[in-house]
């Protein structure tokens, strides 16, 4: 698990290779990742947007941007947390991801850019 803290917002990510859904012979490797966002700041925040950079050893950089996460724009009170699962496919069995969230302080409308820490995507073809 990797973690980053930006202005009191803690983002932790844990990735797993999904061997049963992958087909290495067809250059298809499936990874899932669980993200947990914890609000250790004194203000209420809302996650508005996301931007992911996905690096695949077999190809170029892919950027994915959009509103919220998995169809939600969660609001986190001080001390609150939000977790979700998502996934990606790589052509190779090795890559990495990193990104950022745009969050809003609901009290004053100030936007925060929150770091999503870089994490490795490595296929484990023998375990799992």
């Amino acid at each position: 698990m990797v973690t980053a803290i930006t202005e009191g917002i803690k983002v932790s990510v844990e990735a797993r290779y999904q061997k049963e859904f992958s087909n290495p012979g067809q250059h298809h490797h499936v990874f899932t990742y669980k993200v947990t966002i914890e609000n250790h700041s004194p203000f209420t925040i809302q996650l508005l947007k996301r931007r992911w950079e996905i690096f695949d050893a077999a190809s170029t950089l892919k950027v994915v941007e959009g509103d919220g996460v998995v169809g939600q724009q969660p609001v986190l009170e001080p001390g609150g947390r939000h977790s979700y699962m998502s996934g990606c496919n790589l052509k190779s069995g090795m890559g990495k991801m990193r990104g950022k969230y745009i969050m809003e302080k609901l009290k004053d409308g100030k936007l925060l850019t929150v770091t999503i820490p870089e994490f490795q995507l490595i296929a484990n073809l023998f375990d799992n």
Side-chain angles (χ1 to χ4, degrees):
M1 180 182 301
V2 295
T3 299
I5 300 174
T6 308
E7 294 194 47
I9 311 303
K10 180 179 178 181
V11 179
S12 302
V13 185
E14 185 172 7
R16 296 206 184 280
Y17 180 61
Q18 299 297 323
K19 183 177 179 181
E20 63 274 18
F21 299 109
S22 299
N23 186 339
Q26 296 294 317
H27 305 288
H28 181 75
H29 298 271
V30 178
F31 295 86
T32 58
Y33 53 91
K34 180 181 181 183
V35 179
T36 301
I37 304 163
E38 299 174 63
N39 184 0
H40 296 284
S41 77
F43 41 83
T44 301
I45 56 165
Q46 182 172 18
L47 192 157
L48 301 178
K49 296 183 179 293
R50 72 186 182 290
R51 175 187 164 92
W52 285 104
E53 296 175 351
I54 305 166
F55 301 88
D56 186 335
S59 63
T60 59
L61 167 69
K62 179 179 178 183
V63 175
V64 178
E65 296 181 285
D67 292 336
V69 290
V70 293
Q72 300 179 339
Q73 291 181 311
V75 173
L76 286 86
E77 300 287 337
R81 77 172 23 203
H82 179 78
S83 294
Y84 70 93
M85 294 285 296
S86 192
C88 73
N89 301 320
L90 297 182
K91 290 181 182 179
S92 76
M94 190 165 41
K96 60 186 177 180
M97 290 177 65
R98 67 177 176 222
K100 65 182 178 179
Y101 296 124
I102 302 300
M103 297 189 177
E104 179 183 10
K105 286 186 187 178
L106 294 184
K107 181 177 181 180
D108 61 11
K110 179 183 175 192
L111 297 180
L112 304 173
T113 300
V114 175
T115 298
I116 304 169
E118 183 173 286
F119 57 97
Q120 303 297 312
L121 301 168
I122 300 172
N124 185 340
L125 301 177
F126 303 105
D127 293 334
N128 208 8

